[in-house]
C-alpha cells in the first residue's frame, strides 16, 4: 500500500492519510451514511487506544484496552451507528463505555448520550477523553448497564457494546415506541450475532444483522470498581 508515501509527498500527516484510507474502506464495505462517516472522521481514534497500539489506531481491528476489555473495530462502530439511524434530536443510551470511542462517534450524531460502564478505571479514562475533545453532550456513570438508566428512560435509541446471553428485558422496557436497539447476543456457546430490535406499539421486531465477536455483558459490578 503506497498511500502513506503519497500522503507524505502531499504533506498530509501519516495518521490523517490512514484515517482517509479507513473511511474509504468503510464506504466500500457498505457504510453509506455520510453523517456516520463524518463522525468517524471527526473522532481521533488514536487517543482511545493504549499508547502501545497507537500505530494501529486506524487499522480496521479491535484492540485490547485496560481491565481485559477491547475497543471495537471501526467497521463495527460504523455499522452499529449506521443501523441505529440516529438523528440530532435523539436521546441515546449506551451500555459498555469501554474506551469511549463508540460514545464519541455517537455524540456527534445525537442530542445527548448516556453511557454506563462497570469498570470505574475505564469510565474515568473515557471521561478524560470526552473533556479533551470538548464533547459536552455525554453523561457517563459507573454501573450495571443491564439495568439500563431508569431515571433517564425512555430512550430513542439503545446500543449495547458487550454480548448478552439473552435479551436484556430492562433495556427493552426503556426503549421508546418506534425506538431502535442494536446489540450483540450470544445465540449459542461461542457464537454471537448482532441484532436490531424495533419497538412497535404492540411488540418488538427482531432482526439478525451480522456474526460478531464482543466481550461478554456481565451483570453486577466488579469487586475493584
Ligand atoms: N464501545 C466500546 C467497547 C468496549 S468493550 C469501545 O469501543 O471501547 C465492552 C464494555 O462493556 C467493557 O468495557 C465492559 O466492561 C462493559 N460491560 C460489560 N458488562 C457491562 C454491564 N453490565 N454494564 C456496563 N458495562 C458493561
Amino acid at each position: 500500500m503506497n498511500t502513506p508515501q503519497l500522503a507524505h509527498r502531499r504533506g498530509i500527516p501519516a495518521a490523517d492519510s490512514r484515517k482517509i484510507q479507513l473511511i474509504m474502506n468503510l464506504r466500500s464495505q457498505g457504510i453509506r451514511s455520510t453523517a456516520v462517516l463524518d463522525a468517524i472522521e471527526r473522532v481521533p481514534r488514536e487517543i482511545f487506544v493504549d499508547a502501545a497500539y497507537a500505530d494501529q489506531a486506524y487499522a480496521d481491528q479491535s484492540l485490547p484496552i485496560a481491565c481485559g476489555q477491547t475497543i471495537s473495530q471501526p467497521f463495527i462502530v460504523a455499522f452499529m451507528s449506521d443501523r441505529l439511524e440516529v438523528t440530532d434530536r435523539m436521546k441515546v443510551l449506551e451500555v459498555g463505555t469501554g474506551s469511549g470511542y463508540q460514545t464519541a462517534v455517537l455524540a456527534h450524531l445525537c442530542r445527548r448520550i448516556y453511557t454506563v460502564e462497570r469498570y470505574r478505571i475505564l469510565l474515568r479514562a473515557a471521561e478524560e477523553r470526552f473533556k479533551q475533545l470538548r464533547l459536552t453532550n455525554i453523561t457517563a456513570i459507573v454501573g450495571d448497564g443491564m439495568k439500563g438508566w431508569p431515571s433517564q428512560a425512555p430512550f430513542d435509541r439503545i446500543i449495547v457494546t458487550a454480548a448478552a446471553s439473552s435479551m436484556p428485558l430492562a433495556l427493552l422496557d426503556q426503549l421508546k415506541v418506534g425506538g431502535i436497539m442494536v446489540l450483540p447476543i450470544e445465540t449459542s456457546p461461542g457464537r454471537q450475532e448482532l441484532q436490531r430490535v424495533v419497538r412497535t406499539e404492540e411488540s418488538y421486531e427482531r432482526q439478525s444483522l451480522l456474526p460478531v465477536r464482543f466481550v461478554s455483558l456481565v451483570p453486577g459490578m466488579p469487586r475493584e470498581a
Side-chain angles (χ1 to χ4, degrees):
M1 190 137 320
N2 61 2
T3 319
Q5 246 181 343
L6 259 179
H8 177 71
R9 253 186 271 143
R10 291 198 206 116
I12 301 170
D16 286 357
S17 92
R18 286 197 291 262
K19 192 189 264 185
I20 292 165
Q21 187 65 52
L22 174 67
I23 303 285
M24 280 164 49
N25 291 348
L26 293 175
R27 198 179 286 142
S28 71
Q29 288 175 88
I31 308 297
R32 294 281 142 74
S33 159
T34 41
V36 169
L37 293 169
D38 282 353
I40 298 266
E41 195 173 346
R42 289 171 73 180
V43 179
R45 193 166 183 261
E46 63 272 24
I47 73 161
F48 292 85
V49 304
D50 283 358
Y53 297 102
D55 60 329
Q56 293 170 55
Y58 293 102
D60 193 13
Q61 60 192 34
S62 61
L63 292 168
I65 56 173
C67 307
Q69 308 302 315
T70 53
I71 173 172
S72 305
Q73 178 193 352
F75 171 73
I76 292 294
V77 171
F79 185 82
M80 290 175 87
S81 306
D82 190 61
R83 291 306 185 274
L84 268 181
E85 297 175 29
V86 179
T87 73
D88 59 9
R89 292 188 309 276
M90 290 180 176
K91 183 175 174 178
V92 178
L93 172 67
E94 179 188 46
V95 176
T97 317
S99 68
Y101 179 63
Q102 172 79 76
T103 325
V105 170
L106 287 173
H108 285 294
L109 299 167
C110 70
R111 179 168 60 81
R112 176 152 288 276
I113 180 161
Y114 295 84
T115 184
V116 190
E117 168 58 52
R118 339 179 28 247
Y119 285 103
R120 189 173 301 276
I121 290 181
L122 291 178
L123 194 88
R124 292 290 167 260
E127 283 185 314
E128 279 305 311
R129 296 176 181 121
F130 303 151
K131 214 187 283 171
Q132 187 183 341
L133 297 175
R134 297 193 170 79
L135 294 170
T136 54
N137 61 340
I138 299 172
T139 310
I141 53 164
V142 176
D144 177 4
M146 285 177 85
K147 297 183 180 144
W149 196 318
S151 62
Q152 288 298 339
F155 297 94
D156 299 290
R157 299 289 185 262
I158 299 179
I159 182 170
V160 184
T161 69
S165 50
S166 62
M167 190 56 77
L169 299 181
L171 300 184
L172 287 181
D173 234 31
Q174 292 176 30
L175 191 60
K176 271 188 197 168
V177 172
I180 299 175
M181 170 157 70
V182 173
L183 78 171
I185 294 268
E186 195 173 63
T187 49
S188 61
R191 291 193 111 156
Q192 299 175 5
E193 65 180 31
L194 204 59
Q195 294 189 0
R196 183 171 126 128
V197 179
V198 179
R199 183 169 190 172
T200 62
E201 288 286 353
E202 316 76 37
S203 68
Y204 296 87
E205 282 165 13
R206 242 163 112 160
Q207 183 194 4
S208 159
L209 301 175
L210 267 189
V212 284
R213 275 184 80 121
F214 277 84
V215 296
S216 298
L217 188 67
V218 183
M221 301 298 289
R223 236 180 278 153
E224 74 279 33

